[in-house]
Amino acid sequence: MAAPEISHRSVAANGISIHVAEAGPQGGPAVLFVHGFPELWYSWRRQMEHLAARGYRCVAPDLRGYGGTTAPPDPSSYTAFHIVGDLIALLDALRLPQVFVVGHDWGAIVAWNLCLLRPDRVRALVNLSVAFMPRNPAIKPIDYFRRAYGDDYYVCRFQEPGFEAGFASFDLKRFFKMALTVQTTGSSAMSLEKMQASNKEIALPSWLSEEDISYLASVYAKTGFAGGLNYYRCLDLNWELMAPWTGAKVQVPTKFIVGDGDLAYHHPGVESYIHKGGLKRDVPLLEEVVVIKGAGHFIQQERAQEISDHIYNYIKKFNTDLSTPKLSKL
């Protein structure tokens, strides 16, 4: 079977221009894919092909600040409300009253927030890599990360104004090879200097091609990294703005998937939170947790077929007649 064609267009929504990749029949049940950092819509190409061939309408935007989508210069323009607002406006522009949502990395965080703020627009959720993180009213996120991991932790380094300039002299192909193939379960310090100084031979795994690397490098050479870093710079601002949702639960049918070699799975307390009732408490409609052995962080690329099957097998259980708006049943 020939892979379904992926088309591209720009959509005006929420005051910005959003680059959108699409595949599958226009009248099919819709799936919204939400990428993370440092990624693009491109991370979902295999899942889009898989689901489009099965009759689903696949929609994968470059998020605000990424790729072909508008990148406002002010870091405060990247709050949860801006990003969720972009997605709701995009769904409105595409006349999609309700969608399945699939998120990874920062896209998973965006997807959790989308479900918190607008559960009526989400039929079901499949989130990868990053578990729901309930708001802790006792400590701001950056203070937590500094205490837990120190100032060299990448989230803390990203707070530095102008940090993105360090990427300008970087061999971006080499950067993406290193970033996408790293296998670690320890603390992650971000040192561009060490990455640049490394002369270690990088052998690409079977799931990552030179063509893939070239595409990412060419796009980021044009856009830079400021947009992606601004999501991290809004962590404390999000913490302030999301105060009304302290203790709120994600009331959407959910499946969560993570690799057992994913750094995000090994943050202190995360594994216990996922498996000992915390995630189910905060996401009451959590139906399944899948831990994939030997898989790392960029799991939808590393295990493309397996993740595609997991997504399809989950969402096909639901009533897929999304032609009319539905009220949340929760």
Side-chain angles (χ1 to χ4, degrees):
M1 181 186 298
E5 180 182 353
I6 296 178
S7 62
H8 298 265
R9 60 170 158 158
S10 292
V11 176
N14 201 28
I16 65 172
S17 176
I18 300 177
H19 167 244
V20 184
E22 296 176 281
Q26 290 290 301
V31 185
L32 175 68
F33 293 93
V34 193
H35 70 80
F37 175 86
E39 298 178 88
L40 300 163
W41 73 269
Y42 190 77
S43 297
W44 299 111
R45 62 199 181 280
R46 303 298 180 225
Q47 288 71 41
M48 294 177 72
E49 292 170 355
H50 185 87
L51 291 176
R54 286 154 181 78
Y56 288 84
R57 179 182 180 183
C58 299
V59 177
D62 284 338
L63 293 180
R64 171 183 293 238
Y66 287 92
T69 295
T70 303
D74 189 343
S76 66
S77 295
Y78 292 80
T79 70
F81 294 100
H82 289 91
I83 311 306
V84 171
D86 292 345
L87 295 180
I88 293 298
L90 175 63
L91 297 184
D92 289 346
L94 298 180
R95 299 187 178 184
L96 296 173
Q98 199 174 51
V99 294
F100 296 105
V101 176
V102 183
H104 170 257
D105 184 74
W106 253 106
I109 298 173
V110 170
W112 292 123
N113 285 328
L114 173 61
C115 292
L116 273 180
L117 300 174
R118 292 301 302 270
D120 57 306
R121 302 302 293 268
V122 182
R123 184 68 189 91
L125 170 68
V126 181
N127 250 353
L128 314 178
S129 183
V130 177
F132 181 65
M133 294 178 286
R135 181 182 184 274
N136 180 355
I139 186 170
K140 292 184 176 182
I142 301 305
D143 288 341
Y144 165 79
F145 286 124
R146 289 194 192 283
R147 292 182 191 179
Y149 304 113
D151 290 339
D152 282 337
Y153 188 58
Y154 75 99
V155 174
C156 302
R157 292 296 307 278
F158 285 175
Q159 306 304 310
E160 300 170 12
F163 183 86
E164 59 271 19
F167 290 94
S169 60
F170 212 103
D171 178 342
L172 290 184
K173 288 186 179 181
R174 182 168 179 80
F175 169 77
F176 280 107
K177 287 179 181 180
M178 297 178 74
L180 295 179
T181 61
V182 64
Q183 292 286 340
T184 178
T185 57
S187 177
S188 177
M190 172 58 70
S191 173
L192 290 183
E193 295 83 4
K194 289 181 180 179
M195 293 177 74
Q196 286 176 311
S198 172
N199 57 8
K200 181 181 177 182
E201 184 77 18
I202 304 172
L204 291 183
S206 60
W207 54 269
L208 190 63
S209 71
E210 290 287 349
E211 182 182 4
D212 298 333
I213 293 296
S214 294
Y215 178 79
L216 291 170
S218 67
V219 173
Y220 275 85
K222 296 175 183 176
T223 67
F225 288 78
L229 268 58
N230 283 337
Y231 285 67
Y232 294 90
R233 291 165 177 162
C234 272
L235 282 169
D236 279 356
L237 180 55
N238 279 334
W239 179 86
E240 295 175 9
L241 296 173
M242 293 295 287
W245 285 268
T246 301
K249 300 182 185 302
V250 175
Q251 300 283 9
V252 168
T254 299
K255 178 174 185 172
F256 179 71
I257 307 171
V258 66
D260 69 354
D262 192 331
L263 173 68
Y265 186 54
H266 294 276
H267 283 167
V270 169
E271 190 173 353
S272 175
Y273 171 75
I274 291 172
H275 297 293
K276 295 186 178 180
L279 185 58
K280 178 65 175 178
R281 177 195 66 225
D282 295 328
V283 187
L285 299 182
L286 177 69
E287 297 185 21
E288 190 176 359
V289 171
V290 178
V291 180
I292 298 182
K293 294 187 179 302
H297 181 67
F298 296 97
I299 193 168
Q300 80 273 42
Q301 299 185 75
E302 181 180 344
R303 301 292 181 89
Q305 185 62 51
E306 194 171 351
I307 294 301
S308 296
D309 288 337
H310 273 298
I311 295 169
Y312 174 68
N313 290 332
Y314 183 63
I315 67 176
K316 73 178 183 180
K317 301 188 306 180
F318 296 87
N319 175 11
T320 56
D321 178 13
L322 303 182
S323 57
T324 57
K326 296 180 177 63
L327 294 175
S328 173
K329 64 180 181 181
L330 308 174

